[in-house]
Amino acid sequence: MREPGDWYFLKMALLTAQRGTCARRKVGCILINQKKHVIATGYNGNPAGQKHCIDYPCKGATAKSGSDLELCEAIHAEQNALLQCKNVYEIHKVYCTVSPCIHCIKLLLNTSAQHIIFCEEYINQESKALWMKTNGLSWTFIDKKIIQRTFH
């Protein structure tokens, strides 16, 4: 069983995901430092100034999960969180509603992040394999049902 802080930050990621503007999926990401302070948040959606996909679906909006990613116009939640982060070498834990894709994992590997905690497994598994190649890094799934029952 994980620490209650993990539940708290995953619940925060679930709340952040509600701001997502992608018609395909709403994802939230919270970056935490070693003192358990939030240093950045992100959700997925179109770049600033562009029409939201939930209002004007892009070509990738109806594609199956994990496919036709090049047609999706959304910036991923992890990418948006990293853009907000003042110092990527302060990142200790990454809380995501969905495990990061391979592109986001490559970005996260260039930070000081040690742990990825999520509540839904992304369909493509190559990101986990790349993340786990580095000794000392953890990849943790916590069932969304547990998170939703906590902190009513």
Side-chain angles (χ1 to χ4, degrees):
M1 180 178 276
R2 300 299 295 179
E3 63 181 77
D6 288 339
W7 301 334
Y8 172 81
F9 291 121
L10 274 177
K11 193 132 186 165
M12 189 181 289
L14 287 164
L15 180 62
T16 302
Q18 295 309 304
R19 294 213 53 207
T21 61
C22 177
R24 193 176 195 172
R25 175 184 300 196
K26 291 185 177 201
V27 178
C29 177
I30 308 292
L31 304 178
I32 306 298
N33 67 15
Q34 283 192 301
K35 293 181 180 181
K36 299 183 182 178
H37 294 159
V38 174
I39 55 176
T41 65
Y43 56 88
N44 62 329
N46 282 22
Q50 291 188 8
K51 293 179 181 178
H52 296 306
C53 185
I54 54 175
D55 298 324
Y56 302 92
C58 70
K59 292 179 182 177
T62 58
K64 287 175 48 178
S65 182
S67 65
D68 295 328
L69 298 180
E70 70 282 357
L71 299 177
C72 180
E73 296 176 9
I75 297 170
H76 291 190
E78 300 90 340
Q79 295 166 341
N80 275 322
L82 287 169
L83 286 169
Q84 286 186 17
C85 189
K86 289 181 182 177
N87 182 354
V88 297
Y89 300 111
E90 288 183 17
I91 301 168
H92 183 63
K93 290 186 178 184
V94 179
Y95 292 90
C96 295
T97 55
V98 180
S99 61
C101 73
I102 190 73
H103 303 292
C104 290
I105 285 295
K106 289 177 186 178
L107 293 172
L108 291 167
L109 282 168
N110 267 350
T111 73
S112 61
Q114 299 291 303
H115 310 280
I116 294 177
I117 300 105
F118 58 93
C119 53
E120 182 184 334
E121 189 82 53
Y122 183 60
I123 192 166
N124 294 334
Q125 294 291 311
E126 67 271 3
S127 55
K128 178 180 180 180
L130 181 58
W131 181 258
M132 297 305 289
K133 272 183 163 180
T134 304
N135 289 333
L137 300 183
S138 69
W139 181 271
T140 305
F141 167 77
I142 298 178
D143 193 323
K144 192 185 298 188
K145 294 173 192 166
I146 294 171
I147 306 306
Q148 292 169 333
R149 286 193 307 252
T150 312
F151 303 117
H152 295 282

